[in-house]
Amino acid sequence: MALIDSLPPRPLKPQELTSLNRSEAFELVVAVENDGPARGVLFATDAWVKGVAYDDTSGWSLVETVEITDEQPRIDGLQVCETAVLSFQDDENEA
């Protein structure tokens, strides 16, 4: 997947998130974590939201994709993807 392939092989630094937010490719890029390097990231366009997560063994993984529609607004897609990323991270921490 192009999105995953374009990410560095490590968690994202806060300034990298800022750069992604300024790019024209995404309407919103936000870390799931409140501070430090981002190991969970939500990417949003006008058509979809994607949740990706980083773990030290397998690198970045696409965890969830939600298509944005009139019935599925972006805020709902962000919440679904955030929940999926947090669940993925919990599962990885238990392994």
Side-chain angles (χ1 to χ4, degrees):
M1 153 167 249
L3 174 62
I4 298 294
D5 295 339
S6 69
L7 298 174
R10 57 170 169 67
L12 296 177
K13 298 175 185 171
Q15 55 269 40
E16 291 172 315
L17 288 172
T18 300
S19 293
L20 286 167
N21 265 305
R22 290 184 180 147
S23 78
E24 293 185 15
F26 307 105
E27 290 189 15
L28 177 68
V29 180
V30 62
V32 173
E33 299 84 5
N34 291 327
D35 58 359
R39 299 177 75 86
V41 181
L42 306 178
F43 293 86
T45 69
D46 61 349
W48 50 256
V49 176
K50 294 182 186 284
V52 301
Y54 181 84
D55 74 74
D56 295 327
T57 305
S58 59
W60 289 102
S61 298
L62 177 63
V63 177
E64 183 70 66
T65 299
V66 175
E67 299 297 323
I68 303 303
T69 65
D70 289 340
E71 295 79 35
Q72 182 75 47
R74 182 165 52 186
I75 188 66
D76 292 347
L78 289 166
Q79 291 171 338
V80 167
C81 288
E82 180 181 32
T83 299
V85 168
L86 291 171
S87 177
F88 176 86
Q89 289 172 331
D90 286 345
D91 291 347
E92 289 299 312
N93 288 333
E94 291 175 8

